[in-house]
Amino acid sequence: MPSPPTTPSSLPTYLLVRDPVSGQAVVPLLPGERVTLGRAPSNRVVLHDEQASRFHAEIFGAPSGWSIRDLKSRNGTLVGGEPVSADRLLVTGDIVAIGRVEIVACAGEPLADSTGEAELLGGTATGEMPAELEAWHASITHRRAKSRLLDDIREAAGTAPRVGRAAAELCRLAFSLGRASDLKAVASQALESAMQGSGAARGIVLLPEQIGEQAGQARRDETGPASDFARTVAVPAEWSSAAVSPGVIAAVLGTDEAVLACAATPGGGRVASISAPIRQGGYAVGVLHLEVDAQQREATPDDLEFVMAVCDALGLAIDNLAAREVLSTRLARSADENEQLRRRLGEEWHMIGSSAGLKNIVAQIERVAATKATVLIRGESGAGKELVARAIHEASSRRTAPFVCMNCAALSETLLESELFGHEKGAFTGATERKAGKFEAAHKGTLFLDEIGEMSPAIQAKFLRVLEGHPFERVGGSARVQVDVRVVAATNRNLEEAVAAGDFRRDLYFRLKVVEILVPPLRKRPEDIETLAAHFLKRFAAEAARRVRGFTPDALAAMQAYHWPGNIRELRNSVERAVVLSQDEWIDAHELALSHLSSAGDTGQISTGRPAPFTPTTLDEMERKQVLATLEAVGGNKTKAAAMLGIERSTLDRKMARWAKE
């Protein structure tokens, strides 16, 4: 909008500056002079507003009068509510607005008391507001919704004085808050920094005692005074929260804004107050209130910025304390659950029985567990080799570390290497990310390798180096990985024959056979059968919520006469099946569904106990006949045959493939 024509009487002769912080001032316009406006102290008119740039605008003489020019300020300059984009001529009555500072172009002689011309700033009286609160609202000079000091320290350095000291104090405060362990400690640390940085004479932090849902609910539910919950925790305690007006607290919490106010005291002095919200979880839950003696030091918008930054840091510390408390609770709960699981595992892996063979194994475990020796466990499938390995781990000093199981017969050579030693991203098709192997997973613990005799010669060489303490590389990687793992291996194969045939490395055989534990089959421990059956009965009856009292005499006699080719695994499965299918309180012999398979070690005997003609043959030939007979009995169903034989389906496939080549 073009300016109206100017006449000598309409040209301004002085500026009336209305600054909410410093009050009003008259600046005469003298020919040939240039009046600069901004936050920098070198300006002719120093503006005390955070929206003003350091060098914001200038007023200079022009041929037709006085003009104003914006100096590429950050927030712009307004004249009559319109932004100044180019040099603009001023006329009497024009109002220049820079932030909350107003500069009025006036003509004539300045009045002796120009305050009469000033428009009062602040809240509007309603008649219902208490006089104290009305005075406080009228004294507000600056408001902020968010501090820039923590968001971008570099940007703040160009606009906020004393930014170096403020940043140093905030850095020190961050470390102090990180070390604090409770709500009062973090509040005290924040109050100390706020008072020191702002030069406050006294201050107080008002926070709810239960930071969390209670505070958030109180913030959202505005049916009651905000001070009712905000005065629960007051730091320091000697300054009562009643000294802070409830209206001030309600205003800060309700608007979520920090305010700087300066008012006169009854004694004729002036006191400035800074009240800033403390936010937790996005809600204002408390107030940090400071009072500055205006006679000693003038409170500035920079002080307001600093106090808000302190409150933001305090709110973050409160969030961290709440998260730490939740984490501590969860960790305690997890520790309790882990202990319960450990006890349950201890019960599940507890070695049950009273036979001489079992007592001999327990004695060996007690002697071996305290050492770092590699252990080789040998025995038939289902005899309890993994149970012995678990017992060694639980009795050792590594019991708090992982116990990792790995079946070497379940995977191909490539996958077995990846599972044992891990792989890098892109090592092979499907390797979309780095994966740690079993050795790394068992660091400081025990690695149990079942069916070690099925490991390929290439993997055996790398495995031997790790056993000897050398580091290894993941598949597709070059970084060397060092682990501390105790290896317990198990097999049901005749390793001596495998060594003689060249299928198993001789040096690895001797490295594994530091300590050898032979697990006898269940048929060699007949005195343990009834005890084990009772244990499994109690466990599965509880899991299935069935009322089963025990076994009939015929069932006990059948179990004693049976040779258990599947060993303890077969006994466990038989009892579980009987508990599930039984319709009586007592399990009878027919409900056990015992098979007619002969055991791998005593092929001549079957479930009836009557001896069959003995024919000398090799173990491999006996195993082949047993597997083929089982397959024929189940109509060629490999899955059923593997389940009845007590081996994995992959193991059966591998055996069949090997026999087909012979």
Side-chain angles (χ1 to χ4, degrees), residues 290-502:
L290 303 175
E291 291 187 359
V292 182
D293 187 353
Q295 305 298 327
Q296 303 293 329
R297 183 181 182 278
E298 184 74 22
T300 67
D302 297 326
D303 296 324
L304 186 62
E305 287 275 359
F306 178 77
V307 173
M308 290 186 68
V310 170
C311 287
D312 289 344
L314 176 56
L316 182 60
I318 293 173
D319 280 331
N320 292 338
L321 281 177
R324 190 186 309 173
E325 184 176 353
V326 171
L327 180 60
S328 177
T329 303
R330 290 179 179 175
L331 286 176
R333 186 184 302 116
S334 298
D336 183 60
E337 292 175 353
N338 288 339
E339 183 61 28
Q340 294 179 14
L341 288 173
R342 185 177 293 275
R343 286 197 296 267
R344 292 180 60 184
L345 281 174
E347 295 174 358
E348 182 175 350
W349 295 101
H350 181 61
M351 303 186 72
I352 298 172
S354 57
S355 64
L358 182 62
K359 291 180 179 178
N360 181 48
I361 293 177
V362 173
Q364 292 182 72
I365 291 174
E366 291 176 352
R367 291 193 298 269
V368 171
T371 69
K372 297 181 179 180
T374 304
V375 180
L376 177 62
I377 305 173
R378 305 180 71 167
E380 296 179 8
S381 178
K385 298 187 292 296
E386 184 176 349
L387 177 67
V388 174
R390 171 76 70 170
I392 293 173
H393 174 75
E394 293 296 334
S396 71
S397 58
R398 299 173 179 262
R399 57 184 171 273
T400 57
F403 177 80
V404 180
C405 299
M406 177 74 189
N407 190 325
C408 299
L411 300 171
S412 64
E413 178 179 331
T414 303
L415 290 178
L416 178 59
E417 183 180 12
S418 172
E419 286 295 317
L420 282 175
F421 307 108
H423 62 254
E424 297 289 346
K425 181 179 180 180
F428 50 83
T429 303
T432 57
E433 59 184 11
R434 171 187 287 184
K435 178 182 177 181
K438 300 298 184 184
F439 271 102
E440 291 181 73
H443 184 56
K444 297 294 183 179
T446 303
L447 175 61
F448 173 61
L449 297 176
D450 198 8
E451 299 193 50
I452 192 71
E454 305 295 333
M455 187 180 288
S456 68
I459 305 298
Q460 291 176 28
K462 190 171 182 179
F463 176 56
L464 177 61
R465 285 188 55 82
V466 180
L467 279 183
E468 292 175 343
H470 297 285
F472 61 90
E473 295 84 29
R474 302 184 188 93
V475 177
S478 58
R480 299 169 71 83
V481 181
Q482 184 73 54
V483 293
D484 175 17
V485 174
R486 180 181 192 167
V487 174
V488 178
T491 184
N492 59 2
R493 289 188 60 186
N494 189 322
L495 291 184
E496 290 77 11
E497 291 183 358
V499 171

